[in-house]
Amino acid sequence: MPLSPSILSVLSEDLLVRVYGFLDPPCRKKWRLVSKEFHRVDSLSRTSIRILRVEFLPALLSNYPNLSSLDLSVCPKLDDDVVLRLASHGAVSIKSLNLSRATALRARGLETLARLCRGLERVDVSHCWGFGDREAAALSVAAGLREVRMDKCLSLSDVGLARIVLGCSNLSKISLKWCMEISDLGIDLLCKKCKDLRSLDVSYLKITNDSIRSIALLPKLEVLEMVNCPLVDDDGLQYLENGCPSLQEIDVTRCERVSLSGVVSIVRGHPDLQHLKAISLSFLHNIKALKHLKTLWIDGARVSDSSLLTLSSSCRSLTDIGVSKCVGVTDIGVVGLARNCINLKTLNLACCGFVTDAAISAVAQSCRNLETLKLESCHMITEKGLQSLGCYSKDLQELDLTDCYGVNDRGLEYISKCSNLLRLKLGLCTNISDKGMFHIGSKCSKLLELDLYRCGGFGDDGLAAISRGCKSLNRLIISYCGELTDAGVEQTRQLEHLSHLELRGLKNITGAGLAAVACGCKKLDYLDLKKCENIDDSGFWALAYFARNLRQINLCYCSVSDTALCMLMSNLSRVQDVDLVNLNRVTVEGSEFALRACCNRLKKLKLFAPLRFLLSSELLEMLHARGCRIRWD
Amino acid sequence: MEPEDDLCQNNWGGSSSSSSSKRREQVCFTSQHKWEDASILDYEMGMEEEPAFQENSNNNNGGQVNVDFLQGVRAQAWDPRTMLSNLSFMEEKIHELQDLVHLMVARNGQLQGRQEQLVAQQQQLITTDLTSIIIQLISTAGSLLPSVKHHNMSTAPGPFTGSALFPYPREANNLASQTLNNNTCEFDLPKPIVVEEEHEMKDEDDVEEGENLLPGSYEILQLEKEEILAPHTHFCTICGKGFKRDANLRMHMRGHGDEYKTPAALAKPNKEAVPGSEPMLIKRYSCPFPGCKRNKDHKKFQPLKTILCVKNHYKRTHCDKSFTCSRCHTKKFSVIADLKTHEKHCGKNKWLCSCGTTFSRKDKLFGHIALFQGHTPAIPLEETKPSAQKGSSACENSNNNNTGMVGFNLGSATNAIEEVAQPGFMDGKIRFEDSFSPLSFDTCNFGGFHEFPRPMFDDSESSFQMLISSACGFSPRNGGESVSNTSL
């Protein structure tokens, strides 16, 4: 649409910036293509960026001088050399840096980065499994760090943690999930030195009550995550009763030794607790003291209806409640809950087999703000319950009906009235057919995620309807939907935003179908082709040619040939995670060549176990040096 | 007991501190008359270690004492014949000594006012002989002693008051010294094995209890520097051979004749406390080093428990550290046992702090880090060789530097902490902090160390850590390898 120059001349740069501020990301993309002026506004106003390819990094950094948040988590080939080259561009004003899964990066590069970004406050190095003490020491150069995520830095020990703790004393948030080497000593030092800590995640660590005692001394701690700490018991939690005065959120799920009394002591000490996640609580009456409780997850607890009633009558500000796998929950309890907690936004009733339509109707009628409803394996749910959902829950964004075989086409028709639905899970709902799909496709245009795992009842026409209607879909799971053929799958090429596609076990699709998908879905990032045995090389060639953004691919049991595999691996310049098990037509040499072609960008690899001894050691060493993790299957 | 005896006692203690040459003359003079009572005198000398005995020993009537002795001895089962032979042997020895002293006196009469040195030498000679005789007598008396002790203890004025042993004012002491110096003369001999504490001190200066001992509830002994450092403290009276332990001496004595083979001769001289008897005064020791906290003149005096403590304390604190560890060539010790302990663990201390201190246990390192600002744990390479020769030479170089010394001092400080009781620990801590403030790190000159090859710790951020690395015995070659690894 041609704009008259007069309009543009009226708009000053300030105004443009303000207008720009109201746009959502896809529109901003178009905005910067309008004119040089607009582009300039874009490059000056943009503060966060997620970089897909390391080649663009220097150019982008110079193009966007005001960036404060840089996400390199999906960027392949990010290693020390790249970072060292970056350093020549001078200091960057980045405050937040996401280096998750940057496994090829090592201490030297990390230190350069930490020095380069002087104002660094947040850094995420989670899932960099090779990271250890030296990397932590490098990171500690950034003295201004406030938030650190180090999930699954497997080699990180107390020494490394101590370096960070001593280097960055202003830490307010740290996540040490799965850092299995961390012990009480490290946690103790952390708690002694970082008094400003507000959020701490020690999930899965082998820490004991001593750590909890240290943690209890943190004056400002608000969030404490300690999922699956097998050595912590009730005595440890008792320290928290009188400690951590600002505690608002605690997660003690799957702590085997934590029982009733431990959680009671937390509850007693913290009446202002807002979020409580615990498991296997056979009581609820103690929780009723928590007037301000907003979140309560008690998955797997033995909850009776009466206790649920007393709970809900006292904790009326609850917005998020999870009672999944609670055997005693029936309609009476859920109805009472719905009546009392009308502000409920999230309700998880997964595996509560006795819940029926009546309860769902009550929830839909009372809780008009409901956004998320999880009803997985609630077998007694039928279209009647879904009808009231469709009528009343206009804000519903996420609905999980996995394994609810009471759901049929009529039910989907009612659901489709929830026009704001973003995520819909219908896995294992075998009673739905093309008709139901038509309803969804025609009404739920905002849908982002659709899970149709093993929904054998619908076919190509249904998928075509979805593809036509739900244009913003970015995640589609149609694994094991046996009716689907090329004709249906080809339709998904209309889904421009599709990034995650699972086609597992679709025996009827061939190279043509895959070629259409690869050609249409330019943003495809994750593709699961396991057991798609009839796809021939033409499909893989197309994939290699078009799907340039593919990051993760599963080719197990595919009949891909040596050359096609080599082509794929060398052309897919962003590929980082590959599953290559049971490829009948691929030889050892083929695998070797294919892996050599992509070894500098791989981060995760699944291979046929005997290949461990057949592939060249040079290749394996190279992969290891680049931080690639190999699972031998 | 008569008050006169008490006076004697007082004089004895009071005069021991002020030994003038005039008094020494008297000593020699009186000894002429008194040698027939030599055995009693011997006895007195022995009593020096247990002050309670002194009263009895000061009794002029030596024979009386002997009678008491025999009675006491008879009360218990003993062999009079052995005793007799022992006594006669001692008598013989005493006569020998007597002759010697006679000789001296004769010469002394001519050479009055001669150099003090000679006099001192002579006196020392006599003392040593006397000492050995005393020891023999005590071992001979064997089981008799406690009963005598008991007797004396009961008559002594309240042992738990500050001036328990010397309740009389100084004037009385002086008077006594004039009138009764005949008996006390021997005790003016310089430097017996254990020198009596000057008890005037006790009256005014209260002794702080390290182990909750009431002041005055124990007796303070102070050895001289030479005695502390002397390799041997027990000498054979017959052949002069020196021994570190009395037990060894007694074993040795067996070779000199059958009389040393009796159970009484071989028994531990001090240990025969009769169960029901009143407890002896506890002995505590003072360090002769002026200004030391273990010195009795110190305001917050903390006594040392045993002679061994004194020896170790003196060597560790006031002597050069002459034993160097053969593994790390860095740590030095003054007590050889410390060196041996260190060498057992040297190289196994894998927990390193940026300040250069090593710890064998992780929790110790973390405690250290939590305590001191600016200290961080150092990260060694995976393939560290505990004591590479190259590294050790590098660290020798660095020893000339400030930082090298820092590491050294630190080691000694921690040593002190280990050996010494609570107050010593406090001392160490203070010193420690002073010398390890970040400031002092800055003042160290690192300039020279920039030329060092790449460190084995990957801490390139500060030259200080680089230095530490070189000082801790890892070869630079390792560092080089790691660099190439990481650049892959």
Side-chain angles (χ1 to χ4, degrees):
Chain A
M1 184 164 58
L3 277 170
S4 69
S6 56
I7 296 176
L8 282 177
S9 61
V10 170
L11 288 168
S12 68
E13 201 163 84
D14 314 7
L15 288 173
L16 279 178
V17 169
R18 288 195 65 179
V19 172
Y20 177 84
F22 288 109
L23 298 177
D24 54 357
C27 295
R28 288 181 181 183
K29 213 171 187 177
K30 285 169 189 158
W31 164 284
R32 66 172 171 259
L33 300 175
V34 172
S35 73
K36 275 189 175 176
E37 198 73 4
F38 278 46
H39 188 270
R40 217 174 84 80
V41 168
D42 175 62
S43 53
L44 287 178
S45 315
R46 188 162 186 139
T47 56
S48 72
I49 195 167
R50 187 180 193 226
I51 290 176
L52 302 183
R53 280 165 209 278
V54 79
E55 299 88 73
F56 303 149
L57 186 57
L60 284 170
L61 285 183
S62 56
N63 205 4
Y64 293 102
N66 293 325
L67 281 182
S68 70
S69 166
L70 179 63
D71 185 348
L72 298 169
S73 61
V74 291
C75 198
K77 292 199 276 188
L78 182 74
D79 55 21
D80 289 354
D81 295 338
V82 171
V83 172
L84 292 176
R85 254 181 282 139
L86 256 186
S88 57
H89 291 263
V92 187
S93 62
I94 303 287
K95 284 183 179 167
S96 169
L97 188 58
N98 188 344
L99 294 170
S100 181
R101 292 176 213 279
T103 49
L105 203 60
R106 284 285 174 271
R108 207 156 49 101
L110 202 59
E111 194 181 325
T112 314
L113 262 183
R115 287 188 192 285
L116 197 62
C117 312
R118 295 222 183 89
L120 203 60
E121 287 180 357
R122 272 183 299 278
V123 75
D124 182 348
V125 289
S126 54
H127 300 280
C128 296
W129 58 273
F131 273 26
D133 294 342
R134 217 149 321 143
E135 282 75 16
L139 208 55
S140 68
V141 170
L145 272 184
R146 296 183 157 273
E147 295 181 19
V148 184
R149 269 187 90 90
M150 305 201 76
D151 302 5
K152 231 171 195 173
C153 291
L154 293 177
S155 319
L156 181 74
S157 77
D158 290 336
V159 171
L161 179 61
R163 294 300 291 260
I164 290 187
V165 164
L166 297 165
C168 325
S169 49
N170 295 328
L171 276 186
S172 73
K173 182 175 181 178
I174 187 164
S175 174
L176 300 168
K177 209 172 181 174
W178 288 304
C179 297
M180 306 305 279
E181 303 284 312
I182 300 287
S183 75
D184 289 338
L185 289 173
I187 300 293
D188 185 53
L189 189 71
L190 173 72
C191 298
K192 272 184 193 153
K193 295 284 178 182
C194 301
K195 290 290 181 195
D196 292 338
L197 214 58
R198 286 167 202 278
S199 170
L200 174 63
D201 190 340
V202 290
S203 302
Y204 301 92
L205 299 192
K206 300 274 182 287
I207 54 170
T208 66
N209 291 342
D210 293 345
S211 285
I212 309 300
R213 187 170 51 203
S214 312
I215 289 170
L217 299 175
L218 287 172
K220 296 181 184 172
L221 194 72
E222 290 168 6
V223 182
L224 176 60
E225 309 262 345
M226 37 181 293
V227 180
N228 201 348
C229 293
L231 303 179
V232 175
D233 59 22
D234 294 337
D235 296 339
L237 293 190
Q238 273 174 7
Y239 293 122
L240 292 176
E241 180 178 345
N242 300 318
C244 298
S246 337
L247 197 67
Q248 288 175 5
E249 186 172 342
I250 185 163
D251 189 346
V252 289
T253 47
R254 278 182 278 160
C255 293
E256 289 162 19
R257 296 198 197 170
V258 167
S259 70
L260 171 76
S261 63
V263 181
V264 167
S265 57
I266 296 177
V267 168
R268 219 185 299 133
H270 300 280
D272 295 337
L273 204 67
Q274 293 189 354
H275 307 273
L276 174 63
K277 296 175 187 174
I279 204 165
S280 309
L281 300 182
S282 50
F283 75 106
L284 279 175
H285 40 273
N286 292 85
I287 291 178
K288 74 184 177 206
L290 302 173
K291 303 276 181 210
H292 305 281
L293 202 65
K294 284 182 179 163
T295 305
L296 178 66
W297 289 11
I298 42 171
D299 304 354
R302 277 193 208 152
V303 182
S304 66
D305 286 325
S306 59
S307 57
L308 204 56
L309 283 174
T310 43
L311 166 79
S312 56
S313 60
S314 56
C315 309
R316 286 174 182 263
S317 49
L318 273 175
T319 58
D320 182 352
I321 182 161
V323 288
S324 65
K325 297 172 198 161
C326 294
V327 186
V329 173
T330 68
D331 284 352
I332 305 164
V334 177
V335 170
L337 184 73
R339 296 244 163 85
N340 287 318
C341 306
I342 52 170
N343 294 318
L344 214 56
K345 285 189 172 169
T346 302
L347 178 60
N348 187 352
L349 293 170
C351 303
C352 294
F354 299 109
V355 172
T356 67
D357 292 332
I360 303 305
S361 302
V363 169
Q365 285 175 26
S366 323
C367 313
R368 298 296 177 89
N369 297 325
L370 197 68
E371 287 175 0
T372 302
L373 181 60
K374 293 185 178 175
L375 299 170
E376 184 179 340
S377 297
C378 293
H379 300 305
M380 292 159 100
I381 305 286
T382 65
E383 73 259 26
K384 279 179 195 154
L386 302 180
Q387 186 175 14
S388 45
L389 269 184
C391 288
Y392 301 108
S393 303
K394 292 298 176 195
D395 287 341
L396 198 66
Q397 292 178 358
E398 182 173 351
L399 180 61
D400 186 351
L401 293 170
T402 305
D403 201 18
C404 295
Y405 41 72
V407 175
N408 54 18
D409 290 342
R410 179 66 64 82
L412 288 188
E413 187 183 348
Y414 295 133
I415 290 169
S416 66
K417 288 181 188 166
C418 306
S419 52
N420 287 317
L421 211 56
L422 299 178
R423 276 172 272 274
L424 180 60
K425 293 191 178 179
L426 297 169
L428 299 163
C429 295
T430 42
N431 292 326
I432 52 178
S433 69
D434 288 343
K435 217 173 161 186
M437 289 296 131
F438 281 128
H439 291 298
I440 298 293
S442 58
K443 303 260 181 59
C444 303
S445 57
K446 291 183 180 172
L447 213 58
L448 295 176
E449 189 180 327
L450 181 61
D451 183 356
L452 298 169
Y453 179 80
R454 285 190 196 268
C455 292
F458 80 99
D460 293 339
D461 293 341
L463 190 57
I466 296 288
S467 307
R468 267 197 311 276
C470 313
K471 289 287 190 194
S472 46
L473 210 61
N474 63 27
R475 192 178 160 99
L476 179 63
I477 300 169
I478 45 176
S479 302
Y480 301 106
C481 297
E483 301 283 304
L484 293 176
T485 65
D486 279 349
V489 173
E490 275 172 16
Q491 297 300 314
T492 57
R493 70 177 168 214
Q494 301 171 48
L495 301 170
E496 281 181 26
H497 299 289
L498 199 66
S499 69
H500 182 110
L501 180 61
E502 294 186 23
L503 301 173
R504 193 179 282 204
L506 299 184
K507 313 259 180 194
N508 295 328
I509 60 168
T510 65
L514 183 60
V517 170
C519 184
C521 311
K522 296 283 188 203
K523 287 192 168 177
L524 206 60
D525 171 88
Y526 177 99
L527 181 61
D528 189 345
L529 295 173
K530 188 173 177 179
K531 295 187 179 170
C532 294
E533 290 156 359
N534 287 318
I535 298 178
D536 55 16
D537 276 1
S538 66
F540 294 114
W541 281 96
L543 201 63
Y545 190 76
F546 292 109
R548 292 301 186 83
N549 281 318
L550 209 59
R551 190 169 56 91
Q552 192 172 345
I553 187 167
N554 187 341
L555 293 172
C556 301
Y557 297 96
C558 281
S559 56
V560 66
S561 71
D562 275 350
T563 47
L565 186 64
C566 289
M567 192 68 188
L568 264 179
M569 292 298 113
S570 56
N571 258 26
L572 299 177
S573 54
R574 279 195 62 218
V575 75
Q576 292 163 36
D577 186 341
V578 188
D579 285 12
L580 299 174
V581 183
N582 289 319
L583 305 179
N584 295 328
R585 293 176 59 198
V586 176
T587 62
V588 175
E589 290 75 25
S591 303
E592 172 95 21
F593 276 122
L595 291 176
R596 273 176 187 274
C598 65
C599 65
N600 65 346
R601 35 187 195 267
L602 284 184
K603 292 177 181 172
K604 217 169 171 184
L605 180 62
K606 192 173 180 183
L607 284 176
F608 191 45
L611 281 180
R612 178 192 284 237
F613 308 104
L614 299 172
L615 292 175
S616 71
S617 58
E618 189 191 345
L619 172 68
L620 296 179
E621 275 166 25
M622 179 69 173
L623 283 169
H624 185 78
R626 297 292 301 190
C628 175
R629 189 143 233 220
I630 307 178
R631 288 166 296 161
W632 302 99
D633 191 45
Chain B
M1 201 160 282
E2 284 85 28
E4 206 185 28
D5 292 340
D6 280 320
L7 284 177
C8 268
Q9 177 60 57
N10 294 332
N11 158 51
W12 194 75
S15 59
S16 67
S17 59
S18 60
S19 57
S20 64
S21 58
K22 181 192 164 205
R23 284 180 55 67
R24 282 216 188 83
E25 288 168 41
Q26 286 174 333
V27 166
C28 299
F29 172 72
T30 49
S31 57
Q32 281 179 349
H33 308 283
K34 282 295 158 186
W35 271 121
E36 59 265 28
D37 285 340
S39 64
I40 297 162
L41 284 174
D42 286 348
Y43 181 57
E44 278 171 26
M45 281 303 288
M47 285 317 106
E48 272 194 322
E49 290 174 357
E50 286 119 32
F53 284 107
Q54 287 154 5
E55 290 165 45
N56 195 8
S57 64
N58 280 329
N59 197 326
N60 280 338
N61 191 348
Q64 185 68 43
V65 172
N66 267 341
V67 170
D68 286 348
F69 244 47
L70 293 175
Q71 280 168 351
V73 168
R74 244 175 246 125
Q76 307 187 357
W78 63 288
D79 185 3
R81 253 182 297 169
T82 328
M83 179 59 96
L84 198 64
S85 72
N86 280 343
L87 285 175
S88 57
F89 171 77
M90 270 182 285
E91 200 180 356
E92 208 172 302
K93 287 226 76 171
I94 288 162
H95 279 302
E96 279 173 28
L97 195 62
Q98 210 174 358
D99 291 344
L100 188 70
V101 178
H102 271 304
L103 204 76
M104 278 183 183
V105 171
R107 223 191 296 162
N108 233 12
Q110 302 162 1
L111 301 171
Q112 255 193 13
R114 255 189 67 168
Q115 309 102 307
E116 301 241 323
Q117 213 177 359
L118 188 68
V119 177
Q121 276 177 3
Q122 291 172 346
Q123 285 171 345
Q124 198 150 16
L125 207 69
I126 297 169
T127 314
T128 349
D129 267 5
L130 278 176
T131 311
S132 70
I133 296 170
I134 290 159
I135 291 167
Q136 279 171 38
L137 180 71
I138 291 169
S139 57
T140 311
S143 54
L144 282 181
L145 268 176
S147 64
V148 179
K149 242 187 260 175
H150 177 68
H151 173 69
N152 288 326
M153 283 300 281
S154 61
T155 59
F160 292 105
T161 58
S163 56
L165 297 169
F166 311 101
Y168 289 83
R170 275 201 71 91
E171 291 90 311
N173 285 353
N174 291 337
L175 183 72
S177 68
Q178 282 164 15
T179 56
L180 293 163
N181 51 17
N182 284 359
N183 292 4
T184 57
C185 55
E186 274 77 25
F187 304 102
D188 282 334
L189 296 175
K191 252 197 256 163
I193 287 185
V194 179
V195 176
E196 261 296 312
E197 155 73 330
E198 290 131 358
H199 286 265
E200 302 94 86
M201 289 298 300
K202 244 183 175 178
D203 293 329
E204 60 211 37
D205 237 359
D206 42 359
V207 183
E208 210 179 69
E209 320 86 332
E211 10 163 19
N212 294 328
L213 282 177
L214 285 168
S217 66
Y218 54 92
E219 173 193 12
I220 301 172
L221 307 170
Q222 180 170 297
L223 281 78
E224 288 306 318
K225 182 190 167 193
E226 288 75 18
E227 285 168 307
I228 292 172
L229 297 179
H232 300 138
T233 48
H234 305 273
F235 296 92
C236 173
T237 48
I238 296 164
C239 65
K241 191 169 189 243
F243 296 91
K244 280 182 183 172
R245 292 183 176 83
D246 183 53
N248 293 349
L249 172 64
R250 274 180 276 132
M251 290 298 116
H252 161 85
M253 290 307 281
R254 291 180 305 175
H256 287 302
D258 282 342
E259 65 267 35
Y260 299 108
K261 291 178 181 169
T262 59
L266 289 171
K268 252 187 176 181
N270 291 331
K271 283 288 171 179
E272 296 100 308
V274 170
S277 71
E278 248 183 74
M280 313 186 328
L281 265 187
I282 311 165
K283 270 177 284 178
R284 288 296 178 263
Y285 296 85
S286 158
C287 168
F289 196 88
C292 173
K293 199 168 191 179
R294 304 305 202 160
N295 182 272
K296 59 189 182 318
D297 296 338
H298 195 277
K299 267 264 189 293
K300 295 178 176 175
F301 170 56
Q302 294 282 338
L304 291 152
K305 272 189 177 172
T306 64
I307 294 182
L308 194 68
C309 287
V310 176
K311 287 191 168 196
N312 282 341
H313 160 78
Y314 195 86
K315 283 187 195 165
R316 282 173 181 144
T317 329
H318 310 300
C319 292
D320 286 341
K321 296 173 196 299
S322 44
F323 304 113
T324 310
C325 172
S326 60
R327 294 200 193 194
C328 64
H329 298 279
T330 311
K331 289 229 172 190
K332 293 183 174 182
F333 303 90
S334 49
V335 178
I336 198 144
D338 290 353
L339 172 70
K340 282 178 180 165
T341 314
H342 164 79
E343 280 185 332
K344 254 183 231 167
H345 301 285
C346 184
K348 290 177 190 167
N349 291 353
K350 50 179 183 160
W351 301 104
L352 300 170
C353 177
S354 57
C355 69
T357 324
T358 59
F359 299 88
S360 58
R361 280 168 58 183
K362 192 175 164 190
D363 53 337
K364 298 290 177 201
L365 169 66
F366 274 71
H368 169 84
I369 285 163
L371 208 56
F372 300 109
Q373 285 285 324
H375 290 215
T376 55
I379 300 164
L381 286 184
E382 289 90 348
E383 64 288 74
T384 47
K385 291 163 198 166
S387 58
Q389 283 305 310
K390 275 193 179 178
S392 61
S393 67
C395 83
E396 270 166 14
N397 291 340
S398 71
N399 264 350
N400 304 330
N401 196 285
N402 269 347
T403 36
M405 290 316 290
V406 166
F408 171 72
N409 286 341
L410 205 137
S412 69
T414 48
N415 261 343
I417 288 166
E418 279 166 22
E419 56 147 296
V420 174
Q422 298 290 4
F425 174 69
M426 286 307 292
D427 256 358
K429 202 164 89 179
I430 292 155
R431 243 180 300 150
F432 197 76
E433 254 173 337
D434 284 345
S435 54
F436 288 97
S437 67
L439 201 76
S440 73
F441 285 138
D442 293 342
T443 53
C444 297
N445 64 332
F446 294 117
F449 289 91
H450 288 298
E451 288 115 39
F452 266 72
R454 182 124 178 121
M456 50 297 166
F457 301 114
D458 231 6
D459 277 325
S460 43
E461 78 238 50
S462 73
S463 53
F464 170 63
Q465 274 156 342
M466 218 165 117
L467 171 68
I468 288 307
S469 60
S470 61
C472 289
F474 296 99
S475 80
R477 210 183 331 130
N478 282 343
E481 277 167 18
S482 87
V483 171
S484 63
N485 278 344
T486 48
S487 66
L488 263 176

